[in-house]
Each structure stands twice: as structure tokens, then as C-alpha cells.
Amino acid sequence: MARFSRSDFTLESFRRQLANVDALPQLCVLGLVSGVITGAVMVAFRLLLEAGAVLYMPEGNPEAFEGLPPGLRSLLPLVAVSLIGVLLYRQKASAHKLGVGHVIERLSYHQGRFPLRNWLNQWWVGVVSVLGGLSAGREGPAIHLGAAASSGLGVKLRLPNNSLRVLVACGTAAGISASFNTPIAGVIFAMEVVMMEYTLMSFMPVILASTMAAMVAQVVYGNEPAFRIPEVALGSLMNLPWVVILGLIVGLLAGLFIHISRNTHLQQWPLWLRLSAVGVATGVVAWWFPQVQGIGYDSVAGVLNDQLEIKVLLALMIAKLLITALTVSGGIPIGIIGPVLVVGAATGALIGMLGGWLWPDKAADPSIFAMLGMAAMMGAVLQAPLAALMALMELTHTPSIMLPGMLAVVVACLTARQLTGCEGFFISAVRYGLHPLQQPLMQALSRVSVPAVMERSLVRTERLITVDQARRLLESNPVWLIIERSSEEKTVLALKGATLARWLLEHDEALEDKAPPEHEQVDLLEIPGQRLELAPIGLQATLSEAFLKLQDDALDALYVVHGYRPKQQRISGIITRGAIERYYYYADPKDNDSAV
């Protein structure tokens, strides 16, 4: 039976274990804790929305814009954009970044670390956007709040950066799960849209986080599906060609949405003009069609139960798509998944009605096409087919819809990508044809932190030492000698311990029983041997960070700094380019003779 010491259960030991690629149990523990934290954050956010709605919305319903007087509901978007313009855009530019795009950016370029100011801004901007009658969803705030809260846990505990990446995925999945009661879709969304990879080491913690968050939300809100729909089925397979047509139309609409959202001409307008355009356009449409405001889940429920008129469906398909895209292009950080689902449902219902008019005997119920349109639009806009299909099943609790759903989603995704030239909505920066998170080398190196492969056998020394000091340095058989310089401006160097041992052997042979010169010194920069220039890197850094630093600075090795106060930092090890390459090629740090 294995014996455990008290040191095995310390936080320092936990950090050290997380640095390795096989830290699955430790990551699962983090997933459980992340799920509980994010579930609580999401419940708080939803309660905040409900508390705000009590002030002026009919029956305290955050989506009941139809019950407001036309003047009030048209005025709300102007108030919302004014608050965002005054309170958000007076802050520095980096504080304006919110939502899913911000999460992906922090994961890609900042190792999953989130600024506190952006997180605090997300609370009130999310509430103002939804209750202010803008065409906005709550999933963007949910993902940002969940991912940042989970990452903040890791930062507080000073966990290695490879575990922060998993915590971001856990928070993302948990945010979706708790916000919409869709645990499976949350997992798939986190892996497909945010992490952009599927690995066992990430999947299991993310599943646990999503499960725990759903349980926390269900304690407060119950386990009801988001939409209640009648029992319907596709019926005749002759409807499949009509499903393909649905996919084509939805794919074109998705491409239109992305192109307007990313329109550089609109983004160059002055801020006041952009915000005014969003507020006025939303207010004008809301005067006649309040269904375009807010998330629109009440409208989706109406579409699925055939309760909306054709003119309302047309407004949801065209006006809500254009207004949502204009809002994004105008610089207002909103969640887009909710509005996208509404647009897809309305489009699908209209196509289903047209099919029923053309072929009344064989056509399926329009609500079937509405469900297919939801999944197709979400999949095409995000280029995330699996997440869209899982969301479709969990939101509707209709497994029979999956077969035509797969066809509609694939056709829509291909149409948006190939015919309109649109990548996923959140993939805005590519390098060598790939987003940084999609590059296989960076993905592999990001799963492990430097302690897993660094060489710990080293001693620190000054440049000039005596022969006796040199012998004492080698008593512990160090692999590396860290040569510290006389000033901080000079580069720290590393010399192999074997090089000094060889020089001492040759020095002793050259003396031939003669007494060594008195006060003889050894200059470690002059003895024959290769010396590596070093730059510092933090103990929490991942191998991808180390690799990029070596590439950018044209170095062969880095020294790993341990400690959080400048005057108390110590060197814990050395990581060389060769150690990183051996890890990548063999994918097992235990095979690396530098690992400890």
C-alpha cells in the first residue's frame, strides 16, 4: 500500500502535480470547485436581472417588453447606450473588452488571466444591455463571468498556467450550463469554441464543472427545459430536401450577420454616432415590434408553438438580425447566441410555413423547421456544429430532431464558410491560416508547465571562484552551473557542470604533483566550453510560453524563477530548447532525462 506524507497534501505539492500532463485527478478537483463557484455566480447574475426587471417590467419579467407602452420601450435602448457610453467608454480601451471574444483573447495571449475591471464591468453592462431593450443575450456575460471567476480561483492559489487554461474551459462550460440548463452543450461549447481542442485531460474536469453548475442552478430554478413544445416529428423523408434549403438560407443569413458585425466602415464612425445609431434603430423597430428586444426566448417559445404572426416572424428574421449585427459593430459588448437562436427559429418557421403552403400533404410542422433553424443559425455563426446540435437537443428535449438537425447544421456551416467566406464569429485573428488556439504545437505545449520538464540539478555561482570553491560546487554533481554576473544588465549564463569537472581534471594533470599557485582563481567565462545565455521565466509558465520566449529572444535556455517578491526570488531550474523538443516529440516528460 502506498504511503502518503503530510507534504503530499500541501498546496505546494498540489501546484507541482498540476504542472504535469497527467494531473487528471487534480484537474477534476478544480473542475468540481469551479462548477460550484460559477453556478453561484450565474444564479447571482440571473437574480440581478430579475431584480432590475421588478422596477419597471410587467410582472418583473426581464423579457416582457411587449407589455410596456411603445414610448417607454423605444426610449429604453437610448438610455442603455447612453449609460454604456458614459460609464464604459470613459474607461481605458482595454476595459471595454467583454464577453466570449474577451475570454478567447485572454486564453490565447494571456494564459487565461482576466483583469478584474473587465469582470466587474461585465456585471452591469450585461444587465443594462438586456433590461435596456437592446438585442442582447445573457450567454456572453455568463461565459465571461464564469471563466474569469474560475480563472481567478487559480490565480489566487498561484496555480500553474496550464491549469488556468482548463479552469477557463470549466468556467465557460459551467456558465452556459447554469444559464440555460444545458450541461452537455456547455461542455461542447467550451471545447469547440473556446478551447478549440478535444482532450481527455480537459474533457473530464469540464464535464464535472458543467454538471455541478447545472445542479446549483437547478436548486434555485428547477429542472425545466428552456422551451415547452408539442410532440412533433419530421414525418416523411421527403422533407429532407427542404431541410437542405433551410440550411442554405440560414447559412447565407449567418454570413450576412458576420459581415455586418465585422464591418470596418461602421466601426470607424465616431463613438457617439455608433451608439446613437444602435439606440435609434432599436427604438424605432421596438415601437412596432417589441419582440426584437432583449434575449427573445419568449419569442422562441411563441415560434415553437405557432403563436406568432408572419409579420412578427419577418421582423425577427430580418430586423433582429440587422439590429444585433449593428449593435455588435457599434462596439456594444453583447451576447449574441440568444438573438442568433431567435433569428434562426423565426427563419425556420417561415420556411416551414412556405413548405406547408407548397406541399400541404407531406410538409412537416413549422415548429420542426423552427428548431432546425435555431441549431443551423447557431452552428453557422459560431462554426460550432456539435455545440449547436447539443443545444438544440437540451433546449427542446426532442431527440428525434437530431437526424435532420445534423443535415441542416452541416449545410448551414458549409454555406457560411464557403459561399460567404466567414470563419466562426469569435475567430478574428489567424496566424498561418490558424487561430493561435488551433495550432497543434501550441496546444500540446500549453498542457504542461515548465516544472514538468525543467532540470532542477543546478548550483549558482559567481564568475570568479577559487579552485577549492570549484571542487565544492561539484560535490552535489550539478548538471548546470548558473553564472551570476556583476550587474543586472549583464546576461545570466549557464555552464554544464561536466565542463567544469573536465577543466579541473585537466588542470590537475597539468600541475603534475606541483603545488598550485596561491590564490589561483577560475574564470568560468574563460574555461573552454559552451555557455548558454539565459532569460528568466516564471515557475507557473507553460511550455508554450517558454517556447515562444526562446523563439522571440533567440535563446537556447531559460532559468525558472520561483517566488513572488522580487528580493526573495530564487532559481528553481533550467529549461532548454532541447527539453521542450523532447517533450513534444515523445509527449511524455517521464521519458525526458531532465524531468524530476
Side-chain angles (χ1 to χ4, degrees), residues 123-139:
W123 285 91
W124 69 265
V125 170
V127 172
V128 168
S129 298
V130 175
L131 295 182
L134 299 177
S135 181
R138 67 171 182 244
E139 73 294 324

Side-chain angles (χ1 to χ4, degrees), residues 216-521:
V216 171
Q218 288 174 14
V219 169
V220 180
Y221 294 102
N223 190 25
E224 295 296 322
F227 310 113
R228 289 194 171 276
I229 60 174
E231 290 291 333
V232 291
L234 184 65
S236 173
L237 293 178
M238 298 300 291
N239 284 292
L240 291 181
W242 204 240
V243 172
V244 174
I245 294 175
L246 165 68
L248 288 169
I249 294 174
V250 168
L252 293 174
L253 289 176
L256 175 64
F257 174 80
I258 294 175
H259 279 299
I260 296 176
S261 301
R262 302 300 185 202
N263 189 286
T264 55
H265 178 68
L266 291 175
Q267 294 171 354
Q268 291 173 356
W269 289 5
L271 176 63
W272 67 269
L273 183 58
R274 284 185 280 139
L275 296 180
S276 299
V278 172
V280 171
T282 306
V284 169
V285 176
W287 181 279
W288 289 281
F289 298 103
Q291 293 86 355
V292 303
Q293 294 184 286
I295 304 172
Y297 271 21
D298 55 341
S299 298
V300 172
V303 172
L304 295 177
N305 289 277
D306 299 326
Q307 296 174 344
L308 298 185
E309 302 177 23
I310 292 180
K311 63 180 182 180
V312 176
L313 293 176
L314 287 170
L316 290 175
M317 181 181 76
I318 299 173
K320 191 169 183 69
L321 182 146
L322 296 177
I323 288 175
T324 306
L326 177 63
T327 304
V328 173
S329 183
I332 300 177
I334 60 169
I336 65 154
I337 297 178
V340 159
L341 290 174
V342 177
V343 172
T347 304
L350 287 169
I351 293 174
M353 290 178 179
L354 179 60
W357 180 71
L358 294 175
W359 200 358
D361 295 332
K362 296 291 185 180
D365 190 276
S367 61
I368 286 284
F369 289 92
M371 287 187 280
L372 296 177
M374 291 168 58
M377 181 64 78
M378 177 179 172
V381 169
L382 303 181
Q383 287 298 304
L386 284 179
L389 288 170
M390 288 300 101
L392 171 66
M393 185 176 72
E394 291 187 294
L395 288 173
T396 63
H397 284 202
T398 309
S400 61
I401 200 68
M402 292 300 288
L403 176 61
M406 289 189 286
L407 180 60
V409 167
V410 169
V411 172
C413 288
L414 286 174
T415 301
R417 178 181 288 270
Q418 301 299 325
L419 296 187
T420 68
C422 292
E423 298 286 341
F425 179 84
F426 297 113
I427 301 180
S428 57
V430 296
R431 184 178 182 183
Y432 307 122
L434 292 174
H435 188 275
L437 292 176
Q438 294 174 313
Q439 297 174 27
L441 176 60
M442 291 297 102
Q443 286 182 347
L445 297 181
S446 294
R447 299 182 194 123
V448 182
S449 287
V450 293
V453 299
M454 73 181 183
E455 176 58 68
R456 300 175 186 267
S457 178
L458 55 85
V459 292
R460 301 168 68 173
T461 178
E462 298 177 352
R463 170 184 175 178
L464 297 174
I465 57 177
T466 66
V467 174
D468 289 338
Q469 288 174 328
R471 298 187 196 281
R472 286 195 294 271
L473 286 176
L474 298 178
E475 288 178 354
S476 59
N477 295 320
V479 175
W480 290 101
L481 305 176
I482 306 297
I483 306 173
E484 297 177 330
R485 312 300 294 278
S486 57
S487 65
E488 294 182 357
E489 289 75 19
K490 296 182 179 179
T491 306
V492 177
L493 300 176
L495 179 70
K496 281 279 190 178
T499 301
L500 179 58
R502 184 172 61 250
W503 182 89
L504 287 174
L505 182 62
E506 294 173 352
H507 172 267
D508 292 343
E509 291 177 351
L511 287 177
E512 295 182 354
D513 298 330
K514 298 178 182 178
E518 189 176 359
H519 304 302
E520 181 182 15
Q521 286 191 316

